[in-house]
């Protein structure tokens, strides 16, 4: 079976280095690990960001780094939600979502953006400045912007971190559907065991300068390979997470 995500590479961002050895045939891919371990670096490398890649990155059989130059971010058809959302402060909500739209002209992009906001129940925010959004609203708008282009690869970096409890529940369900959409590969970093249970897929532990696949959540619950992962999953073992 061809791997959805096949990486054998060393990633460098400044002085930071991360060895990645992954061959994953069933997504989504869920990245877990301590703060500063390299989860965001791995996501940026997949997005085509400023990360040096020595080795190969293949997504569904297509080599993204073996060409010269490497495959451009635009050609990768990626939807990327970084930490904090990274909305443009000089654009209103509609302008931010339209920026991510694949429409050929401005009117089409804005129409697609408005439809996407309406579908998510956020049309009332269309003309609002991003400076006037709450943290949760910013993250939800950033998710809409990442999804409006119907990406083949969806990258999410702590997508629920800024949300309150009620918004987190609903958005977690929305993200589950987005990660499992037909024809899409999703890669998400999280520190919340409830996300792991809701989203399924393959866990990848990023720790001590390495990224390695652990298997399913059930695999990790039965035999955690690290103290960090054991601590992360303890609420699930104890039945404390609803």
């Amino acid at each position: 079976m061809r791997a959805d995500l096949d990486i054998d590479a060393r990633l460098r961002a400044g002085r930071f280095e991360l060895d990645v050895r992954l061959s994953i045939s069933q997504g989504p891919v869920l990245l877990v690990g301590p703060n500063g371990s390299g989860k965001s670096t791995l996501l940026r490398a997949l997005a085509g960001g400023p990360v040096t890649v020595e080795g190969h990155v293949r997504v569904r059989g297509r080599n993204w780094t073996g060409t010269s130059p490497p495959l451009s971010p635009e050609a990768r058809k990626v939807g990327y939600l970084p930490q904090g959302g990274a909305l443009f402060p000089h654009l209103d909500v509609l302008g931010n979502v339209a920026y991510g739209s694949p429409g050929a002209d401005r009117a089409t992009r804005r129409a697609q953006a408005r439809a996407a906001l309406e579908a998510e129940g956020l049309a009332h925010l269309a003309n609002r400045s991003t400076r006037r959004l709450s943290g949760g609203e910013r993250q939800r708008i950033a998710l809409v912007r990442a999804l409006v282009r119907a990406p083949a690869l969806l990258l999410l970096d702590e997508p629920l971190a800024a949300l309150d409890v009620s918004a987190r529940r609903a958005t977690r369900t929305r993200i589950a559907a987005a990660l499992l959409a037909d024809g899409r590969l999703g890669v998400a970093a999280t520190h919340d065991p409830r996300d792991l249970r809701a989203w399924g897929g393959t866990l990848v532990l990023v720790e001590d300068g390495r990224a390695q696949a652990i298997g399913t959540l059930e695999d990790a619950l039965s035999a955690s390979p690290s103290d960090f992962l054991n601590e992360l999953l303890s609420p699930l073992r104890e039945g404390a997470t609803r």
Side-chain angles (χ1 to χ4, degrees), residues 197-213:
R197 174 161 283 171
W199 298 341
T202 301
L203 271 61
V204 170
L205 177 63
V206 185
E207 189 177 31
D208 298 330
R210 297 176 60 219
Q212 58 179 329

Side-chain angles (χ1 to χ4, degrees), residues 120-138:
E120 298 295 332
L122 297 170
H124 62 290
L125 298 176
N127 298 321
R128 185 173 297 183
S129 165
T130 57
R131 296 184 179 90
R132 295 177 52 223
L133 298 175
S134 68
E137 288 170 339
R138 293 177 64 85

Side-chain angles (χ1 to χ4, degrees), residues 41-106:
T41 297
L42 177 50
L43 289 170
R44 285 195 296 270
L46 288 170
V51 177
T52 301
V53 180
E54 296 180 1
H56 73 252
V57 174
R58 298 189 184 106
V59 177
R60 292 183 168 159
R62 188 177 186 186
N63 197 339
W64 283 11
T65 58
T67 59
S68 183
L71 196 67
S72 69
E74 293 77 17
R76 298 182 186 199
K77 200 178 180 185
V78 167
Y80 179 35
L81 196 165
Q83 290 185 25
L87 297 179
F88 300 118
H90 63 289
L91 298 177
D92 62 12
V93 166
L94 184 64
N96 266 276
V97 178
Y99 183 87
S101 170
D105 56 76
R106 184 176 184 272

Side-chain angles (χ1 to χ4, degrees), residues 31-238:
L31 308 179
V32 297
N35 288 331
S37 61
K39 300 184 298 296
S40 296
T41 297
L42 177 50
L43 289 170
R44 285 195 296 270
L46 288 170
V51 177
T52 301
V53 180
E54 296 180 1
H56 73 252
V57 174
R58 298 189 184 106
V59 177
R60 292 183 168 159
R62 188 177 186 186
N63 197 339
W64 283 11
T65 58
T67 59
S68 183
L71 196 67
S72 69
E74 293 77 17
R76 298 182 186 199
K77 200 178 180 185
V78 167
Y80 179 35
L81 196 165
Q83 290 185 25
L87 297 179
F88 300 118
H90 63 289
L91 298 177
D92 62 12
V93 166
L94 184 64
N96 266 276
V97 178
Y99 183 87
S101 170
D105 56 76
R106 184 176 184 272
T108 301
R109 290 193 297 271
R110 290 178 70 84
Q112 290 172 337
R114 195 173 297 277
L117 288 168
E118 288 175 355
E120 298 295 332
L122 297 170
H124 62 290
L125 298 176
N127 298 321
R128 185 173 297 183
S129 165
T130 57
R131 296 184 179 90
R132 295 177 52 223
L133 298 175
S134 68
E137 288 170 339
R138 293 177 64 85
Q139 203 72 344
R140 293 179 68 194
I141 296 301
L143 178 60
V144 174
R145 186 178 66 183
L147 291 174
V148 72
R149 64 174 60 221
L153 177 64
L154 179 62
L155 306 174
L156 306 175
D157 198 350
E158 300 284 351
L160 304 182
L163 303 184
D164 61 31
V165 173
S166 59
R168 190 175 297 176
R169 242 183 240 117
T171 307
R172 181 179 289 118
T173 300
R174 176 67 184 94
I175 287 175
L179 290 171
L180 294 169
D182 288 344
R184 175 176 296 157
L185 174 61
V187 183
T190 181
H191 280 293
D192 192 328
R194 290 167 293 192
D195 298 342
L196 306 180
R197 174 161 283 171
W199 298 341
T202 301
L203 271 61
V204 170
L205 177 63
V206 185
E207 189 177 31
D208 298 330
R210 297 176 60 219
Q212 58 179 329
I214 302 304
T216 65
L217 175 60
E218 289 71 26
D219 294 333
L221 285 169
S222 63
S224 296
S226 78
D227 291 341
F228 170 85
L229 194 56
N230 191 58
E231 180 71 18
L232 177 69
L233 300 180
S234 61
L236 298 182
R237 292 195 182 94
E238 297 163 4

